[in-house]
Amino acid sequence: MRKELDFSVRQNCVCFNLRRVARVVTQFYDEEIRRQGIRSTQGTLLSALQITGTATMADLGEILGLERTTLLRNLRPLQRDGLVSVDGGGHGGPVEISLTAKGRKQLEKLAPAWETAQRAAVQVLGEERWSALIADLQQVAAALKN
């Protein structure tokens, strides 16, 4: 028998629970990849650029679901360390971001640690449950975005 959710109780808040779990998962991944000198949030950004190639700031923010200020905060150390190239933006034009050769090399170094973290997280959830969960989360994101 299913227990009815009491939505007047804060512990049942969708936002609170998703953000809390996201922080725990981020910390877990950070522990695995810390030795590579990069945080998981930055690794995600590098991976997105590897997939997209050159992307505008707006497109990258859309892909990652990040506001411009958060994206800038994550980009600055990557640009400083020569992992990404940021061009354009003059006279209100689009800012284009691309992965440098050093950034691609960093992703290669990062891959084994990320794969270890990914395998561990999926093992905890179970592959079938993870597949269902990711599909559900994507569906929720799409529905709430519209």
Side-chain angles (χ1 to χ4, degrees):
M1 179 160 62
R2 266 185 71 168
K3 180 181 170 189
E4 288 296 314
L5 288 176
D6 179 358
F7 290 112
S8 68
V9 177
R10 296 278 185 215
Q11 293 95 322
N12 289 327
C13 175
V14 173
C15 184
F16 167 79
N17 281 287
L18 287 174
R19 289 180 62 85
R20 182 176 58 81
V21 169
R23 284 189 293 271
V24 169
V25 170
T26 298
Q27 290 166 4
F28 175 75
Y29 274 70
D30 280 347
E31 285 291 318
E32 287 295 325
I33 66 174
R34 176 186 329 210
R35 292 174 297 282
Q36 303 307 320
I38 199 163
R39 300 192 66 200
S40 59
T41 50
Q42 296 165 331
T44 300
L45 206 154
L46 293 176
S47 294
L49 285 171
Q50 184 180 39
I51 293 166
T52 63
T54 299
T56 65
M57 187 82 116
D59 288 342
L60 196 55
E62 176 73 20
I63 290 165
L64 296 170
L66 295 175
E67 295 176 357
R68 185 176 177 85
T69 56
T70 304
L71 182 56
L72 280 169
R73 187 173 55 248
N74 287 321
L75 274 172
R76 281 190 187 113
L78 298 175
Q79 184 180 15
R80 177 197 67 219
D81 296 343
L83 303 176
V84 298
S85 170
V86 179
D87 296 308
H91 303 294
V95 175
E96 292 189 338
I97 305 151
S98 57
L99 197 58
T100 65
K102 187 176 178 182
R104 284 188 287 282
K105 206 170 273 195
Q106 180 69 35
L107 271 175
E108 288 175 22
K109 286 175 33 184
L110 180 70
W114 177 86
E115 289 167 3
T116 297
Q118 181 74 359
R119 269 193 303 277
V122 171
Q123 184 177 11
V124 167
L125 287 165
E127 287 188 35
E128 191 173 309
R129 192 164 154 206
W130 168 239
S131 294
L133 180 60
I134 192 69
D136 289 347
L137 290 173
Q138 289 170 346
Q139 184 178 0
V140 168
L144 293 176
K145 196 172 185 177
N146 294 328

